[in-house]
Amino acid sequence: LSQNLSQTPVLRELLKEAKMPGTTVKIESPELFMEPQLIKLDQPGPLTLAMYQFLTEMQETKKGVVTPKELFAQVCKKAIRFKGYQQQDSHELLRYLLDGMRAEE
């Protein structure tokens, strides 16, 4: 899951911009034939910042091993079901992660 997210350039770029409060992001959707939307971003929340930091570490590390400790801690604060290290489906984690980030915006 984390490897897939780290290889999503649009997500990485959006998180990079979201990290800087007051940034205006232009969202275009050619397939929906809508006017481009300009959205001013507020201060990012802790889950969004943890996700940005984790993806940045994955891109920059030379060690080959990155531990998502802070990101996992932030996910657990939003979705208590992940505490305790029980086996969970990756799609459930992804849903809670993305929904949690969206709720912070």
Side-chain angles (χ1 to χ4, degrees):
L1 174 64
S2 58
Q3 290 174 343
N4 290 340
L5 291 175
S6 72
Q7 297 303 315
T8 308
V10 174
L11 177 62
R12 287 196 326 263
E13 284 304 308
L14 186 59
L15 285 171
K16 188 180 191 179
E17 292 179 14
K19 186 176 85 79
M20 299 173 281
T23 300
T24 300
V25 177
K26 183 178 183 179
I27 298 176
E28 298 181 71
S29 182
E31 63 276 356
L32 297 178
F33 305 105
M34 294 173 48
E35 290 292 317
Q37 302 291 312
L38 293 176
I39 300 171
K40 186 170 182 174
L41 302 174
D42 294 326
Q43 176 69 35
L47 180 58
T48 303
L49 287 174
M51 182 65 172
Y52 170 77
Q53 184 61 39
F54 177 65
L55 292 180
T56 300
E57 280 182 39
M58 285 194 72
Q59 290 294 307
E60 296 176 354
T61 189
K62 303 295 181 212
K63 298 180 286 186
V65 176
V66 177
T67 305
K69 189 195 281 188
E70 179 59 25
L71 179 59
F72 184 66
Q74 292 300 327
V75 168
C76 288
K77 286 181 183 178
K78 303 259 183 217
I80 199 155
R81 68 181 292 171
F82 292 105
K83 284 188 176 180
Y85 303 99
Q86 300 101 324
Q87 186 71 28
Q88 300 285 346
D89 290 333
S90 60
H91 72 276
E92 286 289 314
L93 176 61
L94 179 61
R95 192 182 98 221
Y96 279 97
L97 175 62
L98 296 177
D99 282 350
M101 288 171 46
R102 186 179 64 205
E104 288 183 343
E105 297 301 322

